[in-house]
Amino acid sequence: MTDGEPPGMYIRTYGGAGRPVIVLHGGPGAAGYMAPVARRLSGSFKVLEPFQRGSSPEPLTVARHVADLHGLIMEQDDTPALVGHSWGAMLALACAAAHPESVRSLVLVGCGTFDVEARRKMEDVCRERTDSALRERIGRLEQEYPDPDERLDALGKLIEPIYSFEPVAEPDEPAVCDARAHAETWADMLRLQGEGLYPAAFARIEVPVVMIHGAYDPHPGRMICESLKPHISGLEYVELEKCGHYPWTEKHAMDDFFGILAAWLSSPAH
């Protein structure tokens, strides 16, 4: 693994041989946790894991993240595939819509929501899975973690059982949390959805796109897929049973996930 640092982003690079693949973390503002996916792919691909731009005096926007990602893409010797998780899947779509010629294919893992109905469904599922003890614990976070970044990190760890089916017990992959980056970026994505830009803009995407989604993921995968299908020609959908939001951590799904991902990325058609 090697590191680089173009303006605005910190980059970890894995492997070196093979077609380039860029893995995009979610959050927004939760960099670093895609390392296990990057490492697993590095035997067959050159994998780049960018830590997306953090908060600064300049408010963060989707356009800023797209420009950063496109800049990284243009530095590559070959056209990369994008593997985005959660918010990272949304960023992959936004970049491919803005620069259709710059990507080879898209893999959307646990993709985020693009309409109010899907978000309501997700909120309902999370509410059903949250017991009184967890609700009370979440309510104490602000007092226990005055620092917003530490609080966001603690929240992510607390709600993991809501998002996972049966994760394998492995050491946590540390994430670098940026609460302000999270808030600014997500607010801008919601603004753009409200103005009708997304998902309509995805009609410009001409490359192959596949969604890989856990059946236990609170993000309603089939609803999200239906919201994207009118705009993305040939969108494929693969659902993994006994699998939550992080397929690479799931006991019953991780092998299938990596098999599907490697086969997709290796295909001459993708």
Side-chain angles (χ1 to χ4, degrees):
M1 180 186 78
T2 60
D3 299 337
E5 196 166 0
M9 288 196 299
Y10 168 72
I11 313 294
R12 293 197 293 212
T13 303
Y14 305 76
R19 301 157 81 182
V21 175
I22 300 177
V23 297
L24 301 170
H25 67 76
Y33 71 82
M34 289 290 283
V37 178
R39 284 195 292 265
R40 184 70 174 260
L41 294 174
S42 65
S44 302
F45 307 96
K46 175 187 177 183
V47 185
L48 295 95
E49 180 199 9
F51 285 41
Q52 296 156 33
R53 183 184 295 262
S55 56
S56 71
E58 173 193 357
L60 275 172
T61 63
V62 174
R64 177 70 267 173
H65 286 298
V66 167
D68 285 345
L69 177 55
H70 185 243
L72 176 61
I73 290 171
M74 296 306 292
E75 293 176 359
Q76 307 312 307
D77 294 331
D78 195 4
T79 306
L82 304 183
V83 178
H85 176 249
S86 198
W87 145 256
M90 304 172 85
L91 174 57
L93 287 166
C95 187
H99 306 282
E101 73 294 337
S102 66
V103 299
R104 188 175 76 244
S105 64
L106 304 179
V107 181
L108 316 178
V109 183
C111 186
T113 58
F114 287 97
D115 58 62
V116 174
E117 291 75 18
R119 281 191 286 280
R120 284 177 181 158
K121 177 64 176 176
M122 177 180 168
E123 290 166 2
D124 288 344
V125 172
C126 289
R127 188 161 44 247
E128 291 170 3
R129 296 179 186 175
T130 304
D131 59 24
S132 57
L134 179 56
R135 198 172 295 111
E136 180 181 348
R137 186 74 181 83
I138 292 172
R140 297 201 302 267
L141 283 178
E142 189 167 2
Q143 179 181 356
E144 295 176 358
Y145 297 91
D147 181 88
D149 298 341
E150 294 178 1
R151 187 161 62 246
L152 180 61
D153 184 50
L155 176 62
K157 291 181 172 66
L158 266 183
I159 64 176
E160 182 178 327
I162 295 175
Y163 284 78
S164 300
F165 184 82
E166 190 175 349
V168 175
E170 291 184 348
D172 287 340
E173 194 70 41
V176 179
C177 291
D178 187 327
R180 190 173 141 209
H182 172 87
E184 291 177 353
T185 301
W186 188 243
D188 193 51
M189 171 54 78
L190 293 181
R191 177 185 68 83
L192 294 170
Q193 291 184 22
E195 292 175 359
L197 179 63
Y198 299 134
F202 302 153
R204 298 188 65 208
I205 298 174
E206 299 178 354
V207 298
V209 184
V210 64
M211 290 181 65
I212 304 177
H213 214 91
Y216 192 75
D217 191 336
H219 298 76
R222 293 183 183 274
M223 287 183 70
I224 295 167
C225 183
E226 289 304 312
S227 74
L228 294 176
K229 271 185 175 180
H231 312 287
I232 302 176
S233 176
L235 174 65
E236 297 183 35
Y237 182 79
V238 179
E239 190 166 88
L240 300 174
E241 296 298 323
K242 298 182 179 180
C243 179
H245 193 51
Y246 304 92
W248 61 92
T249 71
E250 292 282 0
K251 175 181 178 181
H252 303 285
M254 61 191 307
D255 289 341
D256 285 344
F257 168 70
F258 280 117
I260 292 165
L261 181 58
W264 173 273
L265 294 172
S266 299
S267 169
H270 305 147

